[in-house]
Amino acid sequence: MSSIEKLAMFLNILAHHEKNRSVKVDYIRSGWSGCLGALDGTYISIRVEAIYKPRYRTRKGDIATNVLGVCDRNLNFIYVLPGWEGSAVDGRVLQDAIVRRNGLKVPQGDYYLCDGGYTNGNGFLSPYRG
């Protein structure tokens, strides 16, 4: 399966898989002022040469690439950042998306909803743990 096909499958899963989006959809559609949408990362299995496997090995031992997807309030994808090694943590991938020249932009006072793999900060709201 090509990388393009895997990316298309990822986008389809994020757009339609209830487990990944049910809570976020409720919040996004609730009309919260300043909420631009939601973001999350996922792993896509890949094959790499043996010398690169440690970089692409996830916490669960799979060989994968880490892909960040960002949806607007209507659940349309507005930003996708593929290509990070599976060993990269979600926060590092998000940081790269923010600092890129044509990267993810968050207007002052607005925010995206995130899961527990991200930390709260300007423009990003993750669930309270506790």
Side-chain angles (χ1 to χ4, degrees):
M1 183 180 301
S2 73
S3 297
I4 299 297
E5 290 171 313
K6 288 181 180 180
L7 179 60
M9 288 175 60
F10 159 68
L11 297 176
N12 185 54
I13 288 168
L14 281 182
H16 298 100
H17 194 273
E18 291 300 318
K19 178 182 173 193
N20 287 343
R21 70 181 196 136
S22 59
V23 173
K24 291 177 187 169
V25 170
D26 292 342
Y27 283 130
I28 293 169
R29 292 188 174 160
S30 68
W32 283 10
S33 176
C35 179
L36 299 172
L39 63 88
D40 203 0
T42 193
Y43 295 112
I44 297 176
S45 296
I46 59 171
R47 283 189 272 172
V48 295
E49 294 179 34
I51 61 171
Y52 299 117
K53 284 189 178 185
R55 290 177 35 201
Y56 286 89
R57 192 172 312 279
T58 68
R59 292 178 294 136
K60 296 183 179 180
D62 299 324
I63 304 300
T65 183
N66 194 342
V67 180
L68 173 69
V70 182
C71 294
D72 65 13
R73 292 173 65 118
N74 295 317
L75 303 180
N76 296 311
F77 281 93
I78 59 168
Y79 187 83
V80 175
L81 178 60
W84 270 86
E85 298 93 345
S87 61
V89 296
D90 288 341
R92 177 67 185 103
V93 179
L94 178 58
Q95 181 63 31
D96 181 52
I98 295 168
V99 299
R100 288 178 176 247
R101 187 170 59 102
N102 292 320
L104 180 63
K105 305 295 184 230
V106 183
Q108 184 70 25
D110 293 334
Y111 61 93
Y112 285 99
L113 295 173
C114 311
D115 69 13
Y118 301 90
T119 57
N120 281 320
N122 289 334
F124 305 97
L125 180 62
S126 63
Y128 172 72
R129 294 184 188 199

